Amino acid sequence: MIRLCLLSGALLLAGCQAVSTDSARQPHGHQNSAEEQTSQPLYPKSGNYRALRAASRDSRHSSDEGPQQQRGEARQQDLWQAIADDMMLDIPADHPRVVAQRKWYLKQPDYMRAVSERARPFLYLIKEEIEKRDMPMELALLPVVESTFDPRAYSHGHAAGLWQMLKGTGKNFGLHYDSWYDGRYDIMASTRAALDYLEYLHKFFDGNWTHALAAYNSGEGRVQRAIRANRRHGKPTDYWSLSLPKETQNYVPKLMALADILKQPDHYGMDVPALPNRPQVAAVTVEGQVDLNMAADLAGVSRSQLKELNPAFRHTATSPLIETEILVPVRHAENFELAMADLPAEERRNYQRYRVKGGDSLGIIARRYGTQVLALKQANNLSGNTIRIGQTLLVPSSAAPAPSRAGSEQGTYRVQAGDSLSVIASRFSVSIADLLRWNRLSNRHMLRAGQQLIVAANSG
């Protein structure tokens, strides 16, 4: 199944606003507060909230006419503005903490340009997930506050990924970890887990989103204790009145200040680069362990691009323990899905670990396991042939055989028994679509042993 999100953009480092350390967040804080939970739905919504949301949408559709309608359509074509138009939280724009954060953003003219480039691959995905859950669209800005949309962000507090989740928190909300994969860096999986956590926090704090957002930063236990302390002293218990760590005091204002700017970019004079409000990448579900270099070749994208879109994988293969979603650009998704469906089981990679011993070389290990030196180097990201005693190597136990070179120097290949288009495409680092076009094939399954195929551009 394919689900759509955004195409990879350049990874740029944002200005001086650092990644949130999240060091105070308590991944297990909710476990000792069961008395606060009720039997209400996971994501309770007041009738007033739903009415406001419906009225906002109805008014946009019913009253837009002429130039006003054209302006509305232009805004909806820009992803940032489409997100801003769907925001529904009450923003105290004149609160001193919000004003201070807004001034910071406005003094950093390059900040949103850098963030927008990093958000380009992933923002539509997040917007889509929030829409499915009918949650406030302001939540799409949390990765800006948490990680400046750096999918590989890692804090000294050990929080990771776009949503800066701690390992314990992620595990509590369904993320998987093993030696092959860290779910906190998986764009789709971490987004779902973060929104699950936010839904839980919203319920935990009886539908109060500012309390829930503060708890996402510092833990629900800390926010709950601050509420109880204010209650004991007869003080207001709203977020703005709570005694919280400085980082948490600024956390919600950062989100709200950015939301306020996006709602009125012309008013504040903020240059926010437009992003296309349409899907740019697709998630293709694959079964079994898959070599990522082969996946890139089958998809017709560069290996570096596939790696940028899928930072959760620790090695050059997916995890053998879970079903995997691989993000690829939209225009390559259908061919990739077909190629993976066409890939014989014996062509999928399975890996085992090997600890290097004295006298070993890549050639000796390759012969011992029936694989190739090139396959070993690719699996272990080795640029040379040097290995050291005690080093652990990933060894592909079922490596694709080296392609026959008969005729391949001239850009042709003679089909062998058991070949498929996906296997041949992977061997020669071309796409299945290219093979079909170059060889004028109408049926991708019609191959016969001995058939001569063009496997390189400008051949034949």
Side-chain angles (χ1 to χ4, degrees):
M1 172 186 295
I2 295 179
R3 290 187 299 129
L4 300 179
C5 49
L6 272 174
L7 176 61
S8 176
L11 294 177
L12 303 173
L13 182 62
C16 62
Q17 180 151 330
V19 173
S20 169
T21 63
D22 198 49
S23 58
R25 193 175 305 159
Q26 301 173 4
H28 304 291
H30 60 275
Q31 294 177 348
N32 58 14
S33 306
E35 70 272 14
E36 296 292 330
Q37 301 184 36
T38 69
S39 60
Q40 60 185 323
L42 182 64
Y43 184 68
K45 279 280 180 63
S46 69
N48 184 49
Y49 181 95
R50 293 186 182 277
L52 283 171
R53 193 177 184 95
S56 173
R57 287 173 174 166
D58 290 345
S59 66
R60 287 202 302 270
H61 289 297
S62 62
S63 62
D64 289 346
E65 295 179 0
Q68 184 177 353
Q69 181 179 5
Q70 293 174 4
R71 286 193 297 271
E73 290 174 353
R75 286 175 65 88
Q76 285 298 312
Q77 291 174 5
D78 175 11
L79 181 55
W80 284 122
Q81 290 308 311
I83 287 172
D85 288 347
D86 279 343
M87 292 178 183
M88 294 299 295
L89 294 183
D90 181 25
I91 298 176
D94 295 329
H95 192 283
R97 278 190 264 165
V98 176
V99 171
Q101 294 301 323
R102 187 170 60 233
K103 286 181 178 178
W104 186 94
Y105 286 121
L106 296 176
K107 288 180 181 179
Q108 310 296 327
D110 294 330
Y111 180 80
M112 281 307 294
R113 284 193 286 272
V115 167
S116 292
E117 283 305 309
R118 283 200 296 272
R120 186 179 295 270
F122 314 123
L123 185 58
Y124 189 92
L125 159 68
I126 293 168
K127 170 179 173 285
E128 195 173 45
E129 288 293 326
I130 291 172
E131 285 176 340
K132 289 177 184 176
R133 299 165 184 248
D134 197 25
M135 297 172 77
M137 195 52 67
E138 285 87 347
L139 300 182
L141 305 182
L142 264 186
V144 180
V145 176
E146 286 287 349
S147 65
T148 61
F149 261 102
D150 180 357
R152 298 182 183 277
Y154 187 81
S155 76
H156 65 72
H158 308 297
L162 284 184
W163 297 90
Q164 288 291 279
M165 298 196 79
L166 292 171
K167 201 166 187 177
T169 308
K171 189 173 183 179
N172 287 343
F173 289 91
L175 289 184
H176 176 82
Y177 311 97
D178 60 39
S179 60
W180 302 88
Y181 169 90
D182 186 335
R184 294 174 298 172
Y185 296 102
D186 185 312
I187 306 305
M188 302 191 73
S190 66
T191 294
R192 290 191 290 264
L195 295 180
D196 286 346
Y197 185 30
L198 285 161
E199 284 184 324
Y200 158 78
L201 292 171
H202 182 257
K203 176 186 175 183
F204 185 91
F205 289 104
D206 299 322
N208 188 308
W209 272 114
T210 50
H211 287 163
L213 289 167
Y216 188 89
N217 177 253
S218 64
E220 56 267 43
R222 186 186 294 268
V223 176
Q224 186 184 57
R225 289 191 295 273
I227 292 173
R228 289 174 174 172
N230 275 26
R231 191 175 290 138
R232 284 195 304 269
H233 293 90
K235 296 180 180 179
T237 58
D238 61 283
Y239 161 79
W240 306 97
S241 302
L242 299 180
S243 177
L244 294 167
K246 184 176 181 180
E247 179 187 328
T248 309
Q249 288 183 350
N250 291 328
Y251 184 79
V252 176
K254 285 180 183 178
L255 181 77
M256 292 191 166
L258 182 56
D260 186 39
I261 290 171
L262 289 176
K263 283 185 173 183
Q264 309 175 78
D266 294 337
H267 173 73
Y268 291 114
M270 183 71 157
D271 179 18
V272 182
L275 295 179
N277 186 18
R278 59 181 181 273
Q280 300 290 307
V281 301
V284 178
T285 302
V286 298
E287 297 178 357
Q289 192 172 35
V290 174
D291 183 286
L292 292 172
N293 289 332
M294 179 182 68
D297 295 341
L298 293 177
V301 300
S302 70
R303 294 173 179 183
S304 61
Q305 184 179 11
L306 193 76
K307 188 175 182 180
E308 287 178 1
L309 287 172
N310 298 276
F313 301 117
R314 293 175 166 178
H315 304 293
T316 56
T318 64
S319 171
L321 303 177
I322 58 171
E323 186 177 73
T324 302
E325 292 174 317
I326 298 179
L327 296 182
V328 296
V330 167
R331 65 181 180 276
H332 298 278
E334 183 177 3
N335 281 339
F336 179 52
E337 187 175 40
L338 291 172
M340 290 306 305
D342 186 50
L343 188 67
E346 60 270 18
E347 296 292 340
R348 295 175 184 268
R349 292 287 178 88
N350 291 306
Y351 290 80
Q352 54 188 299
R353 293 179 177 273
Y354 176 77
R355 188 175 294 277
V356 177
K357 300 180 178 63
D360 277 340
S361 68
L362 288 179
I364 290 172
I365 296 169
R367 287 193 296 274
R368 184 179 302 158
Y369 285 92
T371 185
Q372 302 169 345
V373 170
L374 179 60
L376 284 175
K377 293 171 72 172
Q378 289 178 342
N380 295 278
N381 295 317
L382 299 176
S383 57
N385 295 317
T386 302
I387 54 176
R388 65 182 186 278
I389 296 174
Q391 179 180 359
T392 298
L393 296 179
L394 299 175
V395 181
S397 59
S398 176
S404 168
R405 288 298 171 187
S408 62
E409 290 82 0
Q410 290 76 42
T412 60
Y413 171 72
R414 190 173 300 280
V415 176
Q416 308 295 313
D419 275 342
S420 67
L421 281 176
S422 59
V423 171
I424 297 170
S426 177
R427 288 178 186 173
F428 292 97
S429 299
V430 299
S431 70
I432 291 177
D434 286 337
L435 290 178
L436 291 172
R437 186 176 72 257
W438 294 336
N439 295 279
R440 299 180 181 179
L441 298 176
S442 58
N443 188 324
R444 59 196 303 270
H445 298 286
M446 289 181 60
L447 290 181
R448 64 183 184 278
Q451 182 178 358
Q452 194 87 355
L453 290 182
I454 296 171
V455 293
N458 302 320
S459 299

